[in-house]
Amino acid sequence: MDTKNVTDEYILHTYGRFPVTLVKGKGSIAFDENNKRYIDLTSGIGVNAFGFCDETFIEAVTQQAKKLQHTSNLFYTEPAAYLSKLLSEKSGMSKVFFSNSGAEANECAIKAARRFSLQKNGKGFHNIVTLKNSFHGRTITTLAATGQESFHEDFFPFTDGFLYADTDNTESIKTIVKNNKCAAIMIEIIQGEGGVMPLSYELIETIKELSTSFDIPLIIDEVQTGNGRTGKYFSYMHYNLNPDIVTTAKGLGGGLPIGATLFSKRFENALISGTHGSTFGGNPIVCAGASSIVERIDDAMLSDITAKGEYISSAIKDFSKVKSVSGKGLMLGIEIEGEVKSAVSRCIENGVLVLTAKNKVRLLPALSISYKEIDEALSILKSCI
Ligand SMILES: *Cc1c(COP(=O)(O)O)cnc(C)c1O
């Protein structure tokens, strides 16, 4: 079978794919159909936390597949229970709702914030403040939450009640919060799809103050930044923040689809019996795999991620065509002098898989990538960027 031709004939053309068919991998090394070898600095957009075919992950998933692959949420299952406890220990959050993707985790957060606000403030306090240049998902409501007009153009009308604040000043969000009846503020600490753009310390402090003084819940979207990616378990932990709701997905499942919405004690009754659900949410195989990932993201691993991130970014800052490097830990955005698309194509042709984010080359390697693999990738990046 000619995979490329069959894909182009039968799968909807919603992705700008690279001309590579990946067939197998181990750790941070992938192979295409011609057995060409690549170093993977994408981990499936920050999904394969421990790379391809990690032994511990395979063991957890296959053991569970042999026992019970699925049941409905009308019964209790061990893997979801165990994962919920692990996530609570890592985050200090009180409860979790499991779904299947980042967008769904955010939908759940939005529903919870709206319902909580309705009960606390009565009708009308339904606005959710998000930031310009944010990305929160592809469903109609999470697109409405996404503060980028280019994503909206073709799909009106949207879910009402989203307001977008500037990221380059603190007045914008102050004005919006003061003049509107709000149910929540929802942010990414580092805007991933928006070009690996960390929020300024001033903006984060302002958001914290507004959330406290107006008693507006803070939702943090950790779909891309969560699960160790930035060198803390969640990226908000780099700051003195106590979010009410945290959403996560991508790296949590180690390669299988999962979304999780975490709630603080105060929010644990924001959604009650009958108000939300998911057929596949909390799937036993997925949760068994996720637990095998979360368990291993300990303090030693987090310092290791920070060290690797600093090692990569300091090397890249010295490349001649590099203007700047943004991000934290193993989530890095590289601003270059030349054209990004062609630089990325050169990297891939020369055996290193990388991503783009807006006008940047984006790196999201597996958290477990070795220094040997990093060095090999860096020398190829140096000649291709
Ligand atoms: C990827 C991403 C999403 C959407 O996740 P899906 O699993 O594709 O639905 C939402 N928010 C952020 C910050 C993301 O990076």
Short mmCIF file of all heavy atoms in Angstrom, two decimals, residues 45 47 100-106 134-139 142 146 186-188 190-193 221-225 247 249-250 258-259 331 362, ligand 1:
data_model
loop_
_atom_site.label_atom_id
_atom_site.label_comp_id
_atom_site.label_asym_id
_atom_site.label_seq_id
_atom_site.Cartn_x
_atom_site.Cartn_y
_atom_site.Cartn_z
N ILE A 45 3.72 16.09 19.31
CA ILE A 45 3.26 17.34 19.93
C ILE A 45 3.14 17.18 21.46
O ILE A 45 2.08 17.39 22.05
CB ILE A 45 1.96 17.91 19.30
CG1 ILE A 45 2.00 17.78 17.76
CG2 ILE A 45 1.77 19.37 19.70
CD1 ILE A 45 0.92 18.55 17.01
N VAL A 47 3.23 14.55 23.38
CA VAL A 47 2.34 13.47 23.84
C VAL A 47 3.13 12.27 24.37
O VAL A 47 2.89 11.80 25.48
CB VAL A 47 1.38 13.06 22.70
CG1 VAL A 47 0.69 11.75 23.04
CG2 VAL A 47 0.37 14.16 22.43
N ASN A 100 -11.14 12.68 27.00
CA ASN A 100 -10.28 12.05 26.00
C ASN A 100 -9.36 12.98 25.23
O ASN A 100 -8.65 12.54 24.33
CB ASN A 100 -11.15 11.31 24.98
CG ASN A 100 -12.25 10.54 25.67
OD1 ASN A 100 -11.98 9.49 26.25
ND2 ASN A 100 -13.44 11.06 25.65
N SER A 101 -9.39 14.27 25.51
CA SER A 101 -8.58 15.21 24.75
C SER A 101 -8.47 16.53 25.51
O SER A 101 -9.21 16.76 26.47
CB SER A 101 -9.21 15.48 23.38
OG SER A 101 -10.43 16.18 23.55
N GLY A 102 -7.59 17.38 25.01
CA GLY A 102 -7.42 18.70 25.61
C GLY A 102 -8.67 19.54 25.47
O GLY A 102 -9.10 20.20 26.43
N ALA A 103 -9.26 19.53 24.29
CA ALA A 103 -10.47 20.33 24.06
C ALA A 103 -11.58 19.91 25.03
O ALA A 103 -12.26 20.75 25.62
CB ALA A 103 -10.94 20.18 22.62
N GLU A 104 -11.74 18.61 25.21
CA GLU A 104 -12.78 18.13 26.13
C GLU A 104 -12.48 18.51 27.58
O GLU A 104 -13.41 18.79 28.35
CB GLU A 104 -12.90 16.61 26.06
CG GLU A 104 -13.69 16.11 24.90
CD GLU A 104 -13.68 14.60 24.91
OE1 GLU A 104 -14.52 14.01 25.59
OE2 GLU A 104 -12.80 14.01 24.26
N ALA A 105 -11.20 18.47 27.95
CA ALA A 105 -10.84 18.88 29.31
C ALA A 105 -11.23 20.35 29.52
O ALA A 105 -11.75 20.72 30.58
CB ALA A 105 -9.34 18.68 29.55
N ASN A 106 -11.01 21.18 28.48
CA ASN A 106 -11.38 22.59 28.59
C ASN A 106 -12.89 22.80 28.56
O ASN A 106 -13.41 23.65 29.28
CB ASN A 106 -10.70 23.39 27.47
CG ASN A 106 -9.21 23.57 27.73
OD1 ASN A 106 -8.76 23.51 28.88
ND2 ASN A 106 -8.43 23.77 26.68
N SER A 134 -4.15 32.97 22.48
CA SER A 134 -4.24 31.68 23.20
C SER A 134 -4.71 30.58 22.27
O SER A 134 -5.14 30.83 21.13
CB SER A 134 -5.24 31.83 24.36
OG SER A 134 -6.52 32.22 23.87
N PHE A 135 -4.63 29.35 22.75
CA PHE A 135 -5.21 28.21 22.03
C PHE A 135 -5.82 27.26 23.05
O PHE A 135 -5.14 26.80 23.95
CB PHE A 135 -4.17 27.47 21.19
CG PHE A 135 -4.76 26.32 20.41
CD1 PHE A 135 -5.43 26.56 19.22
CD2 PHE A 135 -4.71 25.03 20.89
CE1 PHE A 135 -6.02 25.52 18.51
CE2 PHE A 135 -5.31 23.97 20.19
CZ PHE A 135 -5.96 24.23 18.99
N HIS A 136 -7.12 26.99 22.90
CA HIS A 136 -7.78 26.11 23.87
C HIS A 136 -8.50 24.93 23.24
O HIS A 136 -9.16 24.16 23.96
CB HIS A 136 -8.73 26.93 24.74
CG HIS A 136 -8.03 27.96 25.58
ND1 HIS A 136 -7.12 27.64 26.56
CD2 HIS A 136 -8.07 29.32 25.55
CE1 HIS A 136 -6.64 28.76 27.11
NE2 HIS A 136 -7.19 29.79 26.51
N GLY A 137 -8.42 24.76 21.91
CA GLY A 137 -9.04 23.58 21.31
C GLY A 137 -9.80 23.89 20.04
O GLY A 137 -9.89 25.05 19.62
N ARG A 138 -10.39 22.84 19.43
CA ARG A 138 -11.00 22.94 18.09
C ARG A 138 -12.51 22.77 18.08
O ARG A 138 -13.11 22.78 17.00
CB ARG A 138 -10.39 21.86 17.19
CG ARG A 138 -8.90 21.98 16.99
CD ARG A 138 -8.59 22.97 15.93
NE ARG A 138 -7.20 22.93 15.51
CZ ARG A 138 -6.75 23.61 14.46
NH1 ARG A 138 -7.56 24.35 13.75
NH2 ARG A 138 -5.48 23.55 14.15
N THR A 139 -13.14 22.52 19.22
CA THR A 139 -14.61 22.44 19.22
C THR A 139 -15.15 23.86 19.14
O THR A 139 -14.41 24.83 19.33
CB THR A 139 -15.12 21.78 20.52
OG1 THR A 139 -14.77 22.64 21.62
CG2 THR A 139 -14.50 20.40 20.74
N THR A 142 -14.45 25.66 22.52
CA THR A 142 -13.03 25.91 22.85
C THR A 142 -12.38 26.79 21.78
O THR A 142 -11.43 27.50 22.07
CB THR A 142 -12.24 24.60 23.05
OG1 THR A 142 -12.34 23.79 21.88
CG2 THR A 142 -12.73 23.84 24.26
N THR A 146 -10.54 30.37 22.28
CA THR A 146 -9.23 30.66 21.66
C THR A 146 -9.19 32.10 21.17
O THR A 146 -10.01 32.50 20.35
CB THR A 146 -9.01 29.65 20.50
OG1 THR A 146 -8.89 28.34 21.05
CG2 THR A 146 -7.77 29.99 19.69
N MET A 186 -9.32 32.27 32.10
CA MET A 186 -8.70 31.02 31.64
C MET A 186 -7.42 31.35 30.86
O MET A 186 -7.46 32.14 29.92
CB MET A 186 -9.70 30.31 30.73
CG MET A 186 -9.21 29.04 30.13
SD MET A 186 -10.67 28.13 29.54
CE MET A 186 -9.92 26.99 28.45
N ILE A 187 -6.29 30.77 31.29
CA ILE A 187 -5.01 31.13 30.66
C ILE A 187 -4.11 29.90 30.45
O ILE A 187 -4.26 28.88 31.12
CB ILE A 187 -4.22 32.14 31.54
CG1 ILE A 187 -3.94 31.55 32.94
CG2 ILE A 187 -4.96 33.45 31.66
CD1 ILE A 187 -2.94 32.34 33.77
N GLU A 188 -3.17 30.05 29.51
CA GLU A 188 -2.01 29.16 29.43
C GLU A 188 -0.85 29.95 30.04
O GLU A 188 -0.72 31.15 29.75
CB GLU A 188 -1.62 28.86 27.99
CG GLU A 188 -2.62 28.14 27.13
CD GLU A 188 -2.37 28.45 25.65
OE1 GLU A 188 -1.59 27.74 25.01
OE2 GLU A 188 -2.95 29.43 25.14
N ILE A 190 2.37 29.32 29.38
CA ILE A 190 3.17 29.54 28.17
C ILE A 190 2.25 29.21 26.99
O ILE A 190 1.76 28.08 26.89
CB ILE A 190 4.41 28.62 28.11
CG1 ILE A 190 5.31 28.84 29.33
CG2 ILE A 190 5.19 28.85 26.82
CD1 ILE A 190 6.50 27.87 29.42
N GLN A 191 1.99 30.19 26.14
CA GLN A 191 1.10 29.95 25.00
C GLN A 191 1.83 29.11 23.96
O GLN A 191 2.72 29.59 23.28
CB GLN A 191 0.64 31.29 24.41
CG GLN A 191 -0.18 32.09 25.42
CD GLN A 191 -0.71 33.40 24.85
OE1 GLN A 191 -0.02 34.06 24.08
NE2 GLN A 191 -1.92 33.77 25.24
N GLY A 192 1.45 27.84 23.89
CA GLY A 192 2.17 26.88 23.04
C GLY A 192 1.95 27.11 21.56
O GLY A 192 2.86 27.50 20.83
N GLU A 193 0.70 26.89 21.11
CA GLU A 193 0.39 27.07 19.68
C GLU A 193 0.60 28.53 19.28
O GLU A 193 0.85 28.82 18.11
CB GLU A 193 -1.05 26.65 19.38
CG GLU A 193 -1.39 25.21 19.74
CD GLU A 193 -0.46 24.19 19.11
OE1 GLU A 193 -0.29 24.23 17.89
OE2 GLU A 193 0.10 23.36 19.85
N ASP A 221 -4.94 26.23 31.66
CA ASP A 221 -4.88 25.22 30.61
C ASP A 221 -3.45 24.69 30.54
O ASP A 221 -2.55 25.34 30.02
CB ASP A 221 -5.30 25.85 29.27
CG ASP A 221 -5.25 24.87 28.11
OD1 ASP A 221 -4.58 23.82 28.22
OD2 ASP A 221 -5.86 25.16 27.06
N GLU A 222 -3.26 23.50 31.10
CA GLU A 222 -1.94 22.84 31.12
C GLU A 222 -1.92 21.67 30.14
O GLU A 222 -1.24 20.67 30.37
CB GLU A 222 -1.63 22.34 32.54
CG GLU A 222 -1.50 23.44 33.59
CD GLU A 222 -0.07 23.97 33.73
OE1 GLU A 222 0.84 23.50 32.99
OE2 GLU A 222 0.14 24.85 34.58
N VAL A 223 -2.71 21.78 29.08
CA VAL A 223 -2.80 20.67 28.12
C VAL A 223 -1.41 20.38 27.52
O VAL A 223 -1.00 19.23 27.42
CB VAL A 223 -3.85 20.98 27.03
CG1 VAL A 223 -3.77 19.96 25.89
CG2 VAL A 223 -5.25 20.97 27.62
N GLN A 224 -0.70 21.45 27.14
CA GLN A 224 0.63 21.26 26.54
C GLN A 224 1.75 21.37 27.58
O GLN A 224 2.76 20.66 27.49
CB GLN A 224 0.83 22.32 25.44
CG GLN A 224 2.07 22.11 24.61
CD GLN A 224 2.03 22.84 23.26
OE1 GLN A 224 3.04 23.16 22.70
NE2 GLN A 224 0.85 23.12 22.74
N THR A 225 1.58 22.26 28.56
CA THR A 225 2.64 22.57 29.51
C THR A 225 2.70 21.61 30.70
O THR A 225 3.66 21.65 31.48
CB THR A 225 2.42 23.99 30.08
OG1 THR A 225 1.05 24.08 30.49
CG2 THR A 225 2.72 25.06 29.05
N THR A 247 -6.61 22.11 33.59
CA THR A 247 -6.90 21.10 32.56
C THR A 247 -5.59 20.57 32.00
O THR A 247 -4.61 21.30 31.89
CB THR A 247 -7.72 21.70 31.41
OG1 THR A 247 -6.95 22.72 30.75
CG2 THR A 247 -9.02 22.30 31.90
N ALA A 249 -3.81 17.22 29.25
CA ALA A 249 -4.05 16.14 28.27
C ALA A 249 -2.70 15.69 27.71
O ALA A 249 -1.91 15.10 28.44
CB ALA A 249 -4.99 16.61 27.16
N LYS A 250 -2.44 16.03 26.45
CA LYS A 250 -1.23 15.62 25.71
C LYS A 250 -0.29 14.63 26.41
O LYS A 250 -0.47 13.43 26.27
CB LYS A 250 -0.47 16.88 25.26
CG LYS A 250 -1.24 17.66 24.17
CD LYS A 250 -0.39 18.72 23.50
CE LYS A 250 -1.06 19.29 22.26
NZ LYS A 250 -1.89 20.47 22.46
N ILE A 258 -6.23 10.98 26.30
CA ILE A 258 -6.84 11.25 27.62
C ILE A 258 -6.88 12.76 27.84
O ILE A 258 -6.01 13.48 27.36
CB ILE A 258 -6.03 10.56 28.75
CG1 ILE A 258 -6.73 10.74 30.11
CG2 ILE A 258 -4.59 11.06 28.82
CD1 ILE A 258 -6.16 9.88 31.24
N GLY A 259 -7.89 13.21 28.54
CA GLY A 259 -7.97 14.58 29.02
C GLY A 259 -8.33 14.51 30.49
O GLY A 259 -8.98 13.56 30.93
N MET A 331 10.07 22.60 26.44
CA MET A 331 9.10 23.26 25.55
C MET A 331 9.76 24.54 25.06
O MET A 331 9.81 25.54 25.78
CB MET A 331 7.83 23.57 26.35
CG MET A 331 6.78 24.36 25.59
SD MET A 331 5.28 24.46 26.59
CE MET A 331 4.23 25.38 25.49
N ARG A 362 9.54 24.88 16.80
CA ARG A 362 9.17 24.47 18.16
C ARG A 362 9.73 23.09 18.46
O ARG A 362 9.62 22.18 17.65
CB ARG A 362 7.65 24.46 18.31
CG ARG A 362 7.18 23.93 19.67
CD ARG A 362 5.70 24.11 19.89
NE ARG A 362 4.88 23.76 18.74
CZ ARG A 362 3.58 23.45 18.81
NH1 ARG A 362 2.97 23.45 19.99
NH2 ARG A 362 2.90 23.16 17.73
C1 LIG B 1 -3.28 20.92 22.12
C2 LIG B 1 -3.94 21.90 23.02
C3 LIG B 1 -5.33 21.88 23.24
C4 LIG B 1 -6.25 20.94 22.49
O1 LIG B 1 -6.00 19.62 22.76
P1 LIG B 1 -6.66 18.46 21.84
O2 LIG B 1 -6.25 17.20 22.54
O3 LIG B 1 -6.07 18.60 20.48
O4 LIG B 1 -8.12 18.68 21.86
C5 LIG B 1 -5.86 22.77 24.16
N1 LIG B 1 -5.08 23.65 24.82
C6 LIG B 1 -3.75 23.69 24.63
C7 LIG B 1 -2.94 24.66 25.42
C8 LIG B 1 -3.13 22.83 23.72
O5 LIG B 1 -1.81 22.91 23.51
#
